[in-house]
């Protein structure tokens, strides 16, 4: 690189992790809002509803799916627990949220289309839908069905309030809502996250049934978490799960652009997501990664 260029030479390989910033905000928002509404639905007072409504109304700024989940599920709960305080939730949630949702709507129109079983028959797979979900989630679905529908097993009203969340599983198994079919997982994740409360309650109930129950509960936990635990362990092992983000030549190119071009300069660039100019050069580009643009229904030209 040029002698005046700053050093940009870290280790040549980086961990293979790429958390989406919107996810880090969206996922915590939903359980916080729903926890507030769940406890407030049978108690007097406006402040919890207004707080949940304001937080929900701001959520489209970072994740539309969290907004839709909170609003639609709250509408079901409002029909279960009819109280005037629900207006304190829906007024700020809709007034603040709808303009952001309209602004974020894709210009290319709707991507809605039917694909039964989501990914069961996609990408070269030819799985039966039931086998597809059993293979991917193991005991989670059977345990969730037991916790949801076996009456008297769990002394909690969460099972009733969770019932509408099955729509977040059934509907995305029929229709695709995004240009990239994989993006339907943004609906499934809320079904799995909220359903985990019921599954956890069932495991605790089994664990309290003496020594055999405790052994069975430990076995359930192992089966439910082992696959994810193995994936997490592999991702934490940088020797087994790492990729080269930028080589030395790429670091040199980024250094040159940071020191030899004005900050407002706009560049055309190759469409791969790890190009050194948009990632390390600190300069705006005409368009983002073609793959990511395509997932949002936009085609780069």
């Amino acid at each position: 690189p040029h002698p005046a260029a700053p050093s940009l030479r870290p280790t040549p390989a980086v961990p293979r992790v790429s958390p989406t910033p919107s996810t880090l905000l969206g996922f915590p928002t939903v359980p916080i809002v729903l926890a507030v509404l769940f406890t407030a639905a049978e108690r007097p007072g406006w402040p919890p509803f207004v707080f949940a409504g304001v937080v929900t109304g701001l959520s489209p700024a970072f994740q539309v799916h969290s907004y839709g989940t909170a609003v639609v599920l709250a509408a079901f709960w409002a029909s279960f627990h009819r109280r005037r305080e629900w207006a304190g939730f829906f007024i700020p949630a809709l007034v603040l949220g709808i303009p952001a949702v309209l602004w974020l709507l894709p210009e290319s129109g709707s991507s809605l289309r039917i694909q039964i079983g989501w990914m069961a028959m996609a990408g070269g797979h030819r799985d039966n839908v039931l086998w597809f979900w059993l293979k991917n989630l193991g005991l989670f679905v059977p345990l969730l069905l037991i916790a949801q529908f076996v009456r008297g097993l769990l002394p909690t009203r969460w099972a009733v309030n969770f019932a509408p969340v099955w729509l977040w599983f059934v509907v995305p198994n029929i229709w695709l809502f995004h240009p990239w079919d994989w993006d339907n997982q943004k609906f499934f994740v809320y079904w799995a996250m909220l359903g985990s409360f019921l599954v956890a309650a069932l495991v605790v109930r089994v664990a309290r049934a003496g020594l055999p129950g405790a052994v069975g509960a430990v076995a359930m936990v192992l089966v439910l978490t082992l696959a994810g635990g193995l994936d997490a362990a592999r991702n934490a092992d940088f020797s087994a799960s790492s990729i080269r983000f930028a080589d030395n030549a790429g670091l040199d190119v980024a250094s040159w652009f940071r020191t030899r071009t004005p900050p407002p300069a706009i560049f055309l660039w190759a469409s791969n997501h790890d190009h050194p100019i948009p990632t390390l050069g600190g300069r705006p580009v005409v368009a983002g990664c073609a793959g990511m643009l395509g997932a949002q229904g936009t085609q780069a030209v």
Side-chain angles (χ1 to χ4, degrees), residues 34-291:
L34 295 182
V36 172
L37 294 177
F38 183 75
T39 56
E42 296 182 356
R43 299 178 183 178
W46 289 82
F49 291 92
V50 175
F51 168 80
V54 171
V55 173
T56 300
L58 296 175
S59 63
F62 46 85
Q63 194 178 51
V64 175
H65 295 82
S66 64
Y67 174 75
T69 296
V71 170
V72 174
L73 189 54
F76 280 106
W77 288 3
S79 67
F80 297 162
H81 313 280
R82 298 183 180 181
R83 297 176 52 185
R84 62 179 183 175
E85 286 90 341
W86 282 105
F89 169 80
F90 286 108
I91 291 175
L94 298 178
V95 169
L96 294 174
I98 288 181
V101 172
L102 294 177
W103 181 68
L104 291 169
L105 287 177
E107 296 180 358
S108 57
S110 174
S111 301
L112 183 67
R113 60 198 187 279
I114 293 177
Q115 184 168 299
I116 303 298
W118 186 39
M119 302 289 290
M121 300 285 290
H125 300 288
R126 292 295 181 268
D127 286 331
N128 175 276
V129 176
L130 295 178
W131 171 239
F132 170 81
W133 284 108
L134 183 62
K135 180 173 64 175
N136 281 279
L137 295 181
L139 287 179
F140 184 84
V141 175
L143 292 180
L144 182 56
L145 289 170
I146 293 172
Q148 174 75 64
F149 296 108
V150 177
R151 294 184 178 181
L153 186 62
L154 299 177
T156 176
R157 59 189 176 92
W158 177 247
V160 175
N161 286 271
F162 175 79
V165 185
W166 280 100
L167 292 173
W168 276 251
F169 177 76
V170 174
V171 174
N173 262 295
I174 300 175
W175 288 282
L176 298 178
F177 295 89
H178 300 274
W180 187 26
D181 51 7
W182 175 252
D183 274 344
N184 259 28
Q185 53 90 20
K186 296 175 182 177
F187 300 97
F188 293 120
V189 71
Y190 289 107
W191 164 80
M193 178 174 62
L194 298 174
S196 64
F197 290 99
L198 280 174
V199 173
L202 178 61
V203 172
V204 171
R205 177 67 180 270
V206 172
R208 292 174 176 174
L211 181 60
V215 173
V218 170
M220 290 179 187
V221 171
L222 288 175
V223 173
L224 288 168
T225 62
L226 187 57
L230 292 174
D231 283 342
R234 178 177 177 81
N235 288 335
D237 182 0
F238 297 162
S239 65
S241 181
S242 63
I243 59 172
R244 183 184 297 274
F245 184 78
D247 57 17
N248 290 336
L251 297 176
D252 292 342
V253 169
S255 296
W256 190 93
F257 274 91
R258 291 178 67 89
T259 57
R260 295 300 188 91
T261 63
I266 300 175
F267 289 89
L268 293 170
W269 64 296
S271 62
N272 54 309
H273 65 279
D274 56 354
H275 194 283
I277 295 177
T279 56
L280 300 173
R283 298 294 180 264
V285 296
V286 172
C289 173

